[in-house]
Amino acid sequence: MKALGLLGILAFVLGLAGTFAWEYLSGRPLATWQAASLASGASSRFQIRLTPDMTPVRVVFSGSARRTGRVRRTGDYTVQIRLNGAPVLRGATGLRFRSSGSTTFRTAVRQSSSFGSFTVTAPGAYTAELQLPAEAGFQTTAAAVTLRRNASSPPAWTLRGAFAAGAAGVLCLVLSAFQASRSQRRRA
């Protein structure tokens, strides 16, 4: 019973890891652009030619920042994808300076965020715009946008299955501990 519990918890951990890996690594890399300027409030534009056979295209932002003031979070890094001026996808994220176990906050942070995927409805030159936050208290040290072609989202059963296996594992461990304590009481 205890072995089943540990196996269920292992399946939970592996299921979560697989789901997140699928989210960020599915598809083939299409292009990666670094921000042209890391100045506060700077904007960078990139163009790429996309065709419908590349659908779906996933947009992933990666960035890092260093604290220079008393802030817990950076402003929003915004990514917009457009075709002939019409918006196709928009996403925004901020980087958090999490505490390191005490009351002090980390001085640097690095993070990747998936903004989702979009369907290439028509071939053409798509424009990607990366807008850096203008707030004070931190300095952006890196910012990049990655496009991945033929990327898919993980099916819902992967996450549900991982949680079901984890719940079953915890239940088996609880039952095993209950059974062990009950048999000890009988012996005494």
Side-chain angles (χ1 to χ4, degrees):
M1 188 75 100
K2 193 174 189 179
L4 281 175
L6 294 175
L7 190 62
I9 291 174
L10 178 65
F12 170 72
V13 170
L14 292 177
L16 281 182
T19 300
F20 289 116
W22 190 330
E23 178 75 25
Y24 286 96
L25 301 176
S26 71
R28 293 189 311 263
L30 187 60
T32 299
W33 294 287
Q34 302 289 331
S37 169
L38 296 177
S40 180
S43 179
S44 301
R45 286 190 178 175
F46 318 99
Q47 278 202 337
I48 185 168
R49 198 142 175 78
L50 299 176
T51 57
D53 67 321
M54 298 175 179
T55 294
V57 176
R58 179 169 312 285
V59 179
V60 178
F61 167 78
S62 301
S64 61
R66 185 175 58 242
R67 274 185 353 141
T68 57
R70 296 182 55 97
V71 295
R72 293 178 184 233
R73 184 181 187 283
T74 66
D76 282 341
Y77 293 85
T78 306
V79 175
Q80 293 183 17
I81 308 291
R82 296 182 178 163
L83 174 63
N84 299 328
V88 175
L89 182 119
R90 184 180 190 280
T93 188
L95 307 179
R96 289 189 188 151
F97 297 98
R98 294 193 173 99
S99 63
S100 57
S102 63
T103 57
T104 60
F105 286 89
R106 293 184 181 158
T107 56
V109 64
R110 176 178 292 190
Q111 179 179 323
S112 290
S113 295
S114 174
F115 287 150
S117 56
F118 64 94
T119 301
V120 179
T121 55
Y126 285 72
T127 303
E129 182 179 354
L130 171 61
Q131 177 76 39
L132 301 183
E135 289 84 2
F138 65 92
Q139 178 183 4
T140 300
T141 54
V145 176
T146 301
L147 298 182
R148 298 184 71 85
R149 66 181 285 172
N150 304 112
S152 63
S153 293
W157 63 263
T158 57
L159 199 54
R160 288 183 192 136
F163 278 106
V170 168
L171 182 63
C172 284
L173 286 176
V174 168
L175 289 175
S176 174
F178 178 71
Q179 188 179 18
S181 69
R182 196 169 162 190
S183 67
Q184 270 186 343
R185 277 191 241 152
R186 284 186 183 170
R187 288 183 198 158

